[in-house]
Structure formats: C-alpha cells, structure tokens
Amino acid sequence: MSQQRRAQATRNAILLAAAEEFDRCGYAGASLSSILSRSGVTKGAFYFHFRSKESLAVTLIQARDDVLPSVYQRWRDRGLDPLRTLIGFVDEMIWLLTRDAVVRAGTRLAAESELVGAAPSAGWSTWERVLAGLLVDAQRLGQLQHWVDPVEAARVICAAAAGVQALADTPDRELDGGTRMREIWRYLLCGVAAPEWRDITPCAGDVAT
Amino acid sequence: MSQQRRAQATRNAILLAAAEEFDRCGYAGASLSSILSRSGVTKGAFYFHFRSKESLAVTLIQARDDVLPSVYQRWRDRGLDPLRTLIGFVDEMIWLLTRDAVVRAGTRLAAESELVGAAPSAGWSTWERVLAGLLVDAQRLGQLQHWVDPVEAARVICAAAAGVQALADTPDRELDGGTRMREIWRYLLCGVAAPEWRDITPCAGDVAT
C-alpha cells in the first residue's frame, strides 16, 4: 500500500470507529479513548488526521450531508418518472439511515449540533426540498391526486421517513426500515398518487427498489 | 406546606430538572451535578429521593410508559367512534411527545435503555397494539378501506408519529408537531379510512382535537 492509501485507510478506520461510538452514545457520551481503541490506531496517528472529538463529529455530519445529493443524482440519472424516482430515492436513503454507520451517526450528531458546536445541519429540510421538487414534476405530469400540495406532501413523506429511522433505533424494533417504508408507501400513496399512476404500478412500494 | 407535600414538590423538581438535562444531553451526557444545580436542591435532598442517575432515568422511562394508558383511557371514555378516538389519542400523544419535558426525556431514555441498564421499554410496540385494537374496531364498523390490515396500518401511523417527534427535535424544525400530524392525517387517511367516513369528517385531522 502506498503511504497515501495507508493514510486514507487509517482515516477511514477512525471515522468508522467514531461513527459507531457516536451512534451508540451520542456526542456527549462518546469518548475519544473508546474511539481510539475501537479503531486500533495510535494517538499520534489520530491527531495526524483529526484535531478533536468535535472535528470528528463535524466530519461525520458533513459526510451524512454529502450522501443525499449523490443518491438523489443517481436516481435522477435513471430517467424514471418523478414518483418512481422519489420512491427509489427515499428507499435508498432509508437503507442508509438504518444500516450505514456513518450516515446513522451523522444524523444523530446533526440532531445534536448545538452540543457539537457545529452549524445547524440542513438535514431534513434538504430532504423536504428534494422531495417537493420531484412532487412538482409529478404534478405537472398528472401523477398526483388533485388535492396534493407538493410542499406539504413532501413534509409528510419526510416525517414518515424520519419515523422509520427513529423506530429502527428503538430496542423493541420488529421490522427493518425497508419493510416499514414499503408499508407506508402502500397507504400513503393512496393520498398522494393519482389512481391511474397507482393502477399501472400496483405494488407501489416495490417499484423502484 | 406539609412535610409530605414539600417532599413531593422536591421530588418533582428533581424529576423535571433531570428530564430537561436528559432531553438535552442523553443519558451518557447528562451529569448529576447539572441536574442538582438546575433543580436547586441539595445533594442530601437528592439522595433522599433517588439513589443515582440510573434510578432517575428508570423513573422517567416509567413515567413516560404510564402516560399512554391514561391518555388512551381518557379518549376511550369520550365514546367517539374508533377512528376519531384513534386520531384524538395520537394527537394528544404527539403534543406530549413534543412539548412535555418528562415524556420527551422518557422517550429518549427508552431508546437508550441499553446504556441506562433498564429493561427495554415497550414504548412504540404498546402504541402499535393500542392503534391496532382501535383499527380492528373501526374495521368492524366499516370505517376502513377494504384493503387495510389493522396491524400494518397501526405500524404505519406509529412510524408517522415517531417521525413527527423526531423532526420536532431537529434544529431545522419549521412546524410544530400538531401541524405536522394534521398534514399526515390528510394524506394518510385516504389510504386508511373508508370514503364514507371521510365524507362526514371532511377535515379529518381536526375532528378530534
């Protein structure tokens, strides 16, 4: 391994260990020494990459914030209709929010940004903007029920997704996030998608995954 | 004030201060000394009522768990139809989950029960059972769309409520929990409630509040 690649691997190991620790204990509860022992790197190596617990947290929040535009762009590029794009995007984000350590930790830390001392993360309002944009496109194509307000419907879908994430974190969880989100689509799309759109995609929650 | 009432007032002051501290910092981040200074009680008075930070957390989780059955019973006693009972119950729980310091802290601590060392709280699975029971009653009265599975629909409503709570906690929140939940009812009830029921309760989210 070149020196540069080795440095990158060390940095990733630290970030992953930090993500696991923050995800479990929150910002205040996480300890730098636990992160060090989880990652297996020396103190010297750590301080080569990061200044402090705070700088780790800020990096993880940023990593979480960077995921959304790239997932969104990937779904846009598939050229599906706006509603299928929206469902695919949300389902993939749910997968990341419930399974990916870095995204999970970044989300928890963003909710605690006051403690971290970081600028408040755009987080869910970015979701709401992205979803509202897709719903405006869907409305233009006649894919929505006539009573839908795209901004309002975007907030509703966003709250449902946030709930799936929250329930995936509780000790009494019974279902994985993907299954929960599919159940939500089944009921919610009745209020959002035009009947004609639902007729051609009978099991709406499954279409884009 | 009698000695007994004074003791009760002290205990409540400690619990409220603890709720605010746990709500802000989580279990690991909360410090007993901050709780003491918030509550304005002496160390001696504290240890008269509670053994430790852990016993405070367990008490708050229990207080949260006790709220649900009493709110549920109150809505049952009003003798509304099952769907209105369900909406009223959820709306009041949302109010408590987003505004009441003890319920908020108890919910956060329940999600961290592993750290607290408490038995996992039934929390959201109790919600799901209560909602499923009301939906079974509603189905019997023909209030539901024919495709509704009460257990599944209960999980969906529960996830939406959990999302409203989660978003009320983010730094970028724009709406209060009650407004968000009303928006959710507007879309979700299309997939859950029979058109006849919705026809007689045109603005469904508002009926029971």
Side-chain angles (χ1 to χ4, degrees), chain B residues 10 17 32 66 68 75 111 113 131 147 199:
Chain B
T10 304
L32 210 47
D66 292 344
L68 186 146
W75 280 96
S113 62
L131 299 183
W147 57 69
D199 283 346

Side-chain angles (χ1 to χ4, degrees), chain B:
Chain B
M1 231 190 304
S2 74
Q3 199 171 348
Q4 198 187 353
R5 284 185 60 195
R6 203 158 48 229
Q8 189 60 47
T10 304
R11 190 172 189 277
N12 288 345
I14 297 167
L15 276 179
L16 188 61
E20 289 168 355
E21 174 79 3
F22 285 129
D23 185 28
R24 213 180 79 85
C25 310
Y27 182 70
S31 92
L32 210 47
S33 61
S34 301
I35 294 171
L36 282 177
S37 72
R38 258 180 209 272
S39 66
V41 307
T42 63
K43 232 178 194 168
F46 176 84
Y47 284 110
F48 176 76
H49 291 282
F50 296 98
R51 270 197 326 279
S52 58
K53 183 167 103 169
E54 185 191 325
S55 72
L56 272 176
V58 171
T59 306
L60 287 168
I61 294 175
Q62 188 57 51
R64 194 281 302 242
D65 286 350
D66 292 344
V67 160
L68 186 146
S70 74
V71 172
Y72 174 63
Q73 196 50 54
R74 196 146 18 85
W75 280 96
R76 287 298 288 210
D77 291 347
R78 292 185 64 173
L80 301 169
D81 75 50
L83 262 189
R84 281 164 187 247
T85 305
L86 181 146
I87 292 168
F89 164 76
V90 170
D91 286 350
E92 183 170 344
M93 289 299 297
I94 287 292
W95 194 94
L96 291 165
L97 282 167
T98 54
R99 304 288 189 92
D100 185 279
V102 170
V103 176
R104 285 169 52 97
T107 303
R108 172 155 191 184
L109 290 164
E112 299 177 339
S113 62
E114 226 174 290
L115 282 178
V116 178
S121 158
W124 293 106
S125 28
T126 310
W127 272 68
E128 288 180 2
R129 257 202 322 284
V130 163
L131 299 183
L134 287 167
L135 288 166
V136 166
D137 293 347
Q139 191 169 52
R140 216 171 280 141
L141 295 174
Q143 293 189 319
L144 303 187
Q145 298 275 26
H146 63 85
W147 57 69
V148 172
D149 170 345
V151 172
E152 200 179 74
R155 279 199 294 259
V156 169
I157 296 169
C158 190
V164 170
Q165 189 206 7
L167 291 181
D169 280 347
T170 55
D172 58 341
R173 65 179 169 280
E174 277 173 10
L175 295 180
D176 68 286
T179 307
R180 269 198 195 272
M181 198 66 221
R182 261 196 303 285
E183 291 182 347
I184 290 172
W185 288 131
R186 203 170 307 149
Y187 292 89
L188 198 53
L189 285 174
C190 298
V192 173
E196 305 76 46
W197 187 88
R198 281 181 289 133
D199 283 346
I200 54 165
T201 50
C203 189
D206 296 324
V207 289
T209 50

